[in-house]
Amino acid sequence: MAKVYEPEGEGLSYLSHARYGKDKVRVFRVVRDGAWHNVVEYNVTALVEGEIEVSYTQADNSVVVATDSIKNITYYLAKTSPHVLHPERFALHLGTHLVSKYAHLKKAFITIEQLRWQRIPIAQGEGQDPKPHSHAFYRDGDDKRTVEVEVDASAGKDQIVAHVTSGLKDLLVLKTTGSAFESFVRDEYTTLVEVNDRIFSTSIDLSYKFAPLRIPAPADGEGKIFDLALTPEQAKGTAWDGDAVSAAARGITLEVFAVDESASVQATLYKMAQRIVAEYAHVQSVTYNLPNKHYVPVDMKYIGVDNMTPAKADVFIPLSAPSGLISATVSRK
């Protein structure tokens, strides 16, 4: 029989935190409504916490819901959940099922990354607007919608609370004017030239945290069947209304970026976040991470061409590194 390794100094340490689950569960779902098809594509992470210490400290697997089972649960709900087309609702359903079905699990952490699919527009003839195709799609961008949900049943299976943070990432934007950077600290380390007009480009990562949601005890006791039963007015602007808030947050971000006469990345970031907080009462905080995408004018003085004066700079070198990284969180008072 193989010797079991027994570490020395057993009394010097303890298990202070444990969490496990399944990562990178790829899901593509077709929802058919006659000839009209809807699709979503998700990358899902589902993790759990609870009374699982002995699986670490005593090699006792009796408390382990296998990560393969967590993957299978994700696919089962992708097939059966009426909320699968809505990432916040689907994440809430998945997390609630995990903590409701297994008595010893107290928390579930669900992360969803949604990839973009857009219907292909089909021309209808002169003077007519194109119509979206019923079952043909294309990817219209590399940005992704994100959802992070913590379903907390620590206070009891009938007192579940959900914390939802949504957002987007990898939204690449650029404008060729309407951005300056002046009057910053100048000392012996400063080489950067002040400019009153420049290219402003960044890859936007945005997250916004909703007010907590109370989750009623599932009617079936396991959470296979799940609904919050909110009226449209009650749901408006909450995490349950995630699709509408996501579209609005993306629109606000793009609009402010485009129209703001930017004094700095910091100043534009603040205006974006302020507006989301102002327009959505259930959003508690907004966080942006904005890495600079630098476009540096090519110096052509060696051939007598001015390409360095901002108004005459037309040819640029895109530089990916090093880059500035501007981040901030704006919270509701």
Side-chain angles (χ1 to χ4, degrees):
M1 181 177 179
K3 182 180 179 180
V4 176
Y5 171 68
E6 295 182 359
E8 297 179 2
E10 187 69 23
L12 300 178
S13 61
Y14 71 100
L15 183 70
S16 57
H17 179 257
R19 182 186 298 177
Y20 79 98
K22 205 68 168 181
D23 192 18
K24 300 177 182 176
V25 182
R26 300 191 64 183
V27 177
F28 184 84
R29 175 69 154 93
V30 181
V31 177
R32 298 175 177 87
D33 183 10
W36 189 262
H37 294 179
N38 295 286
V39 300
V40 288
E41 184 173 351
Y42 295 148
N43 296 322
V44 182
T45 299
L47 308 176
V48 294
E49 293 180 6
E51 297 168 2
I52 56 176
E53 295 88 348
V54 294
S55 65
Y56 293 83
T57 61
Q58 300 177 33
D60 181 352
N61 291 335
S62 64
V63 296
V64 176
V65 179
T67 67
D68 190 66
S69 300
I70 294 173
K71 174 206 70 179
N72 292 340
I73 289 168
T74 302
Y75 285 130
Y76 170 78
L77 288 184
K79 175 72 172 178
T80 62
S81 174
H83 310 300
V84 68
L85 293 176
H86 314 285
E88 284 87 356
R89 297 185 185 189
F90 181 65
L92 287 165
H93 191 175
L94 177 55
T96 300
H97 181 41
L98 286 168
V99 300
S100 299
K101 180 173 177 60
Y102 301 103
H104 67 294
L105 298 182
K106 305 303 181 183
K107 292 183 179 181
F109 301 84
I110 312 300
T111 301
I112 293 179
E113 180 183 83
Q114 181 179 358
L115 282 65
R116 294 181 66 84
W117 286 110
Q118 184 65 262
R119 295 183 186 277
I120 295 175
I122 304 300
Q124 300 299 303
E126 186 176 353
Q128 300 183 54
D129 293 333
K131 289 186 177 179
H133 198 275
S134 62
H135 61 267
F137 304 83
Y138 71 102
R139 180 151 296 160
D140 64 335
D142 292 327
D143 57 299
K144 304 162 190 71
R145 184 171 163 187
T146 60
V147 173
E148 297 178 10
V149 169
E150 175 188 334
V151 178
D152 186 355
S154 301
K157 305 297 184 177
D158 59 346
Q159 299 183 60
I160 300 174
V161 178
H163 303 273
V164 181
T165 299
S166 299
L168 59 83
K169 67 179 184 178
D170 301 329
L171 179 59
L172 185 60
V173 294
L174 178 150
K175 64 180 181 180
T176 55
T177 190
S179 174
F181 191 51
E182 302 174 290
S183 302
F184 49 87
V185 173
R186 304 201 69 85
D187 58 20
E188 66 271 27
Y189 299 110
T190 306
T191 59
L192 187 65
V193 177
E194 296 189 2
V195 289
N196 59 16
D197 194 20
R198 62 173 181 170
I199 288 178
F200 179 4
S201 180
T202 185
S203 180
I204 296 170
D205 286 1
L206 159 67
S207 63
Y208 43 91
K209 183 182 296 184
F210 289 98
L213 281 176
R214 297 281 179 183
I215 307 296
D220 64 351
E222 290 191 348
K224 288 183 178 179
I225 300 172
F226 173 79
D227 201 348
L228 290 193
L230 298 175
T231 66
E233 190 59 33
Q234 290 171 329
K236 187 176 181 180
T238 70
W240 198 248
D241 192 27
D243 291 346
V245 179
S246 174
R250 189 175 192 271
I252 288 169
T253 299
L254 292 173
E255 180 181 328
V256 174
F257 172 82
V259 303
D260 182 43
E261 288 295 324
S262 178
S264 66
V265 178
Q266 290 88 334
T268 300
L269 181 160
Y270 188 60
K271 292 176 183 178
M272 292 173 177
Q274 272 192 311
R275 185 166 158 192
I276 293 173
V277 171
E279 295 189 13
Y280 287 89
H282 295 279
V283 170
Q284 300 299 295
S285 64
V286 176
T287 298
Y288 281 97
N289 288 290
L290 304 180
N292 277 327
K293 301 292 183 181
H294 295 295
Y295 290 79
V296 179
V298 178
D299 190 346
M300 299 182 181
K301 288 198 296 290
Y302 67 96
I303 52 173
V305 174
D306 182 5
N307 193 62
M308 301 302 292
T309 303
K312 297 182 178 180
D314 304 310
V315 180
F316 300 84
I317 303 172
L319 296 179
S320 59
S323 66
L325 177 57
I326 315 303
S327 63
T329 298
V330 175
S331 300
R332 186 176 301 281
K333 292 182 178 179

